[in-house]
Amino acid sequence: MSEPIINIDNLTKYYNKFLALDNLCLKVVENENVGLLGPNGAGKSTTLKILCGLLRSSSGTAYIDGINIAQKPEQALLRIGAIIETPEFYPFLTPEETLSYLGKLRGIRGNGLDQSIKEVIHLVGLDDWLTVKIEKFSRGMKQRLALAQTLLHDPPVLILDEPALGLDPRGVVEFREIIDKVGKEKTVFFASHQLTEVAQICNQVAIIDHGRLLAYDSIAELEKKHQSLERAYLELTGGYVE
Amino acid sequence: MSEISQLWIVTRYEFLKHLRRKRLYVILGITLIAELAVLIILPLLMDGYPDNVLVMAAMLTVGPALATIGAVFFAGDAIAGEFENKTGFILFTNPVKRTTLVMGKYLASCAAVIILIVFGYAIMCVSLLAIYGEIPVETAKSFGLCLLFGGSVLSVTFFFSAISKGAMGATVITLVFIMVICGIVESVLMMAGEPYWFILSAGGDSVTLAFGGVELIMEGLMPSGGMGMFPFDYEPLDINLAAISMAGYMVIGFLLSLWRSKRKQLA
């Protein structure tokens, strides 16, 4: 088995006395698309935020491509493109300025940056909005821009927290197509409540609840064991309702 | 990519954000109105401008107020805003140190505050040249102290922004700290005849006092016994000590804001 590109090793996180993650262990191999499923408060967002260096774990370690995120966050973050929660952008800047800012921070310069910006903007369908101030954007448009910025520096790992939230049905389909396309060459680690979305994009699913990993298997295997992904989710997280 | 390069990038784009917001232009407009008000109303009330150019220069010194307003407006949401508005989810997931981001924001805020201060002093210099045909050399000292005061207020604001949950809280705490708490403590110490150079608001007073002591200014405005209104002996402010104090606020406030920002988590 090849070295995992995302390695979560006994991760524990307390918010004061509340235990959000309880010795979570998970290894994601390169080029796998993994859906992180769980009910509200299961610890999905906490896991993703620790992977992105936004939170410190109480104990345990997380690695991105072999890099300890707590010890070398800048190096690890160069390997990641992330959408966490519903991100907001600076309203006074345009997508071009925002992506230019982020691209430069990620080490992309000159013509290469201009080209990357054009490509990702075209990919998410915001070509006509490149020089419009973001204060005029709808939530769905901001979500598209969020997806664009994750792809700007062509990272090997995408960490996505409910990335299709706020998108209209066409947007959801387009998003799925984008992830399907880029996911072939990247590792996608993606938290969602939408089982159909996860089933269409991912080949592996991790189900967590109360901060613990309940199952980590291919969708096919889970369906074999529990008849359907939905049944697997419901049975593992609190009993199936007939 | 080197940290210096990243620092430059952050500073540039943070400054661009300040330029894009209307706040800078609003404060510039307020500055112009305030200076014009002094230039128009003072001679009407006093039957002409003061004879002493230093007195007029002191009257035209809006630098401390500008620096305070500018600092809280440009720095109040610098750190707290990223957490409150969720823009931190985009910014903090970049391969750049939190300290570099904070330093870049600080430098950008400094640039914005410097613009305000330069604008205020430019109006002062033009006015003094037009009225008196000269710009007193004390203007340079006042300008330098004002920049130092601006930097110290920025640092204190950055610290409050780093510890506050929201931008409004940071702004209010800073204004209350400087204008109310420091103001009251300074007045009490002054009336008690105790030194007060270490109070931040005293740093703001030093900017005006660079043109001369309180006695000079009061005599210039009230030639017929200006000092009669002070019923107590007070210790004049030591400007040099006030300058050292401001430098201390600037450095310590900034370092504390760096330390706190680094530890702050975005839950």
Side-chain angles (χ1 to χ4, degrees), chain B residues 54 58 121 137-143 145 205-213 217 239:
Chain B
L54 292 174
Y121 276 84
V137 69
E138 289 84 351
T139 307
K141 186 176 177 184
S142 174
F143 180 68
L145 287 166
D205 294 341
S206 72
V207 175
T208 310
L209 293 174
F211 292 109
I217 294 165
I239 292 176

Side-chain angles (χ1 to χ4, degrees), chain B residues 26-50:
Chain B
V26 167
I27 301 173
L28 287 172
I30 291 172
T31 306
L32 185 61
I33 291 169
E35 299 280 40
L36 285 175
V38 172
L39 289 166
I40 292 167
I41 295 171
L42 190 67
L44 291 174
L45 293 175
M46 286 186 56
D47 202 21
Y49 292 109

Side-chain angles (χ1 to χ4, degrees), chain A:
Chain A
M1 187 183 178
S2 53
E3 201 60 34
I5 199 165
I6 298 174
N7 187 359
I8 298 168
D9 186 18
N10 285 307
L11 214 54
T12 298
K13 175 65 181 174
Y14 279 95
Y15 292 110
N16 295 320
K17 289 184 181 167
F18 175 71
L19 181 59
L21 291 181
D22 187 3
N23 286 300
L24 183 70
C25 290
L26 188 59
K27 292 182 188 344
V28 178
V29 172
E30 198 168 359
N31 287 342
E32 269 184 357
N33 290 354
V34 178
L36 186 62
L37 292 173
N40 294 333
K44 302 187 300 296
S45 289
T46 301
T47 305
L48 299 190
K49 285 172 185 172
I50 291 174
L51 285 175
C52 293
L54 296 171
L55 289 175
R56 284 188 301 279
S57 63
S58 302
S59 64
T61 30
Y63 300 86
I64 300 288
D65 205 6
I67 304 165
N68 187 323
I69 184 76
Q71 289 176 0
K72 295 178 185 176
E74 296 85 48
Q75 279 186 38
L77 288 172
L78 203 48
R79 317 287 290 151
I80 288 170
I83 299 177
I84 301 294
E85 289 198 9
T86 309
E88 278 296 338
F89 295 89
Y90 304 114
F92 314 105
L93 300 184
T94 64
E96 189 172 27
E97 288 161 343
T98 302
L99 293 174
S100 181
Y101 182 18
L102 298 176
K104 285 173 184 170
L105 286 179
R106 297 169 193 180
I108 317 171
R109 297 296 193 99
N111 290 336
L113 178 57
D114 293 339
Q115 189 60 31
S116 289
I117 291 172
K118 277 200 187 94
E119 282 172 9
V120 298
I121 281 291
H122 180 68
L123 195 61
V124 301
L126 287 176
D127 306 73
D128 294 337
W129 298 83
L130 190 59
T131 54
V132 176
K133 282 188 189 163
I134 295 170
E135 61 188 354
K136 294 189 179 0
F137 278 32
S138 66
R139 187 172 172 192
M141 291 166 76
K142 287 181 192 173
Q143 206 71 10
R144 286 170 188 261
L145 184 58
L147 185 57
Q149 63 85 28
T150 65
L151 301 168
L152 191 61
H153 55 303
D154 196 22
V157 179
L158 296 182
I159 293 177
L160 309 173
D161 189 0
E162 305 264 12
L165 199 65
L167 295 179
D168 57 30
R170 180 181 295 279
V172 170
V173 170
E174 287 171 358
F175 157 76
R176 204 180 298 146
E177 287 169 359
I178 294 168
I179 296 299
D180 199 40
K181 185 177 166 185
V182 302
K184 290 183 173 59
E185 292 156 15
K186 295 184 192 301
T187 305
V188 180
F189 192 51
F190 148 49
S192 178
H193 287 123
Q194 303 296 324
L195 296 182
T196 41
E197 197 173 69
V198 169
Q200 283 175 328
I201 294 173
C202 306
N203 37 39
Q204 293 272 98
V205 157
I207 300 176
I208 71 171
D209 195 9
H210 294 101
R212 281 190 225 110
L213 183 69
L214 303 175
Y216 181 40
D217 216 334
S218 68
I219 292 176
E221 277 302 311
L222 284 172
E223 285 174 342
K224 209 189 282 184
K225 288 176 194 169
H226 298 271
Q227 293 176 24
S228 69
L229 181 60
E230 185 184 79
R231 193 168 178 139
Y233 174 86
L234 291 172
E235 283 179 355
L236 288 166
T237 59
Y240 179 69
V241 180
E242 293 284 350

Side-chain angles (χ1 to χ4, degrees), chain A residues 13 15 49 52-57 73-75 77-78 80 82 84-90 92-94 97 100-102 104-107 109 133 146 149, chain B residues 1 5-7 9-14 16-17 20-22 82 85-98 101 105 262-267:
Chain A
K13 175 65 181 174
Y15 292 110
K49 285 172 185 172
C52 293
L54 296 171
L55 289 175
R56 284 188 301 279
S57 63
E74 296 85 48
Q75 279 186 38
L77 288 172
L78 203 48
I80 288 170
I84 301 294
E85 289 198 9
T86 309
E88 278 296 338
F89 295 89
Y90 304 114
F92 314 105
L93 300 184
T94 64
E97 288 161 343
S100 181
Y101 182 18
L102 298 176
K104 285 173 184 170
L105 286 179
R106 297 169 193 180
R109 297 296 193 99
K133 282 188 189 163
Q149 63 85 28
Chain B
M1 172 176 271
S5 302
Q6 287 185 321
L7 179 63
I9 292 166
V10 174
T11 305
R12 270 179 51 206
Y13 279 91
E14 291 293 323
L16 175 63
K17 279 157 58 182
R20 285 291 171 80
R21 287 165 128 173
K22 294 189 175 60
E82 299 289 356
N85 300 328
K86 308 285 187 191
T87 46
F89 286 128
I90 294 288
L91 187 63
F92 298 147
T93 52
N94 281 287
V96 57
K97 286 184 179 169
R98 196 72 71 88
L101 288 171
K105 284 172 175 287
K262 204 174 163 183
R263 297 189 54 75
K264 206 165 178 175
Q265 299 183 81
L266 190 46

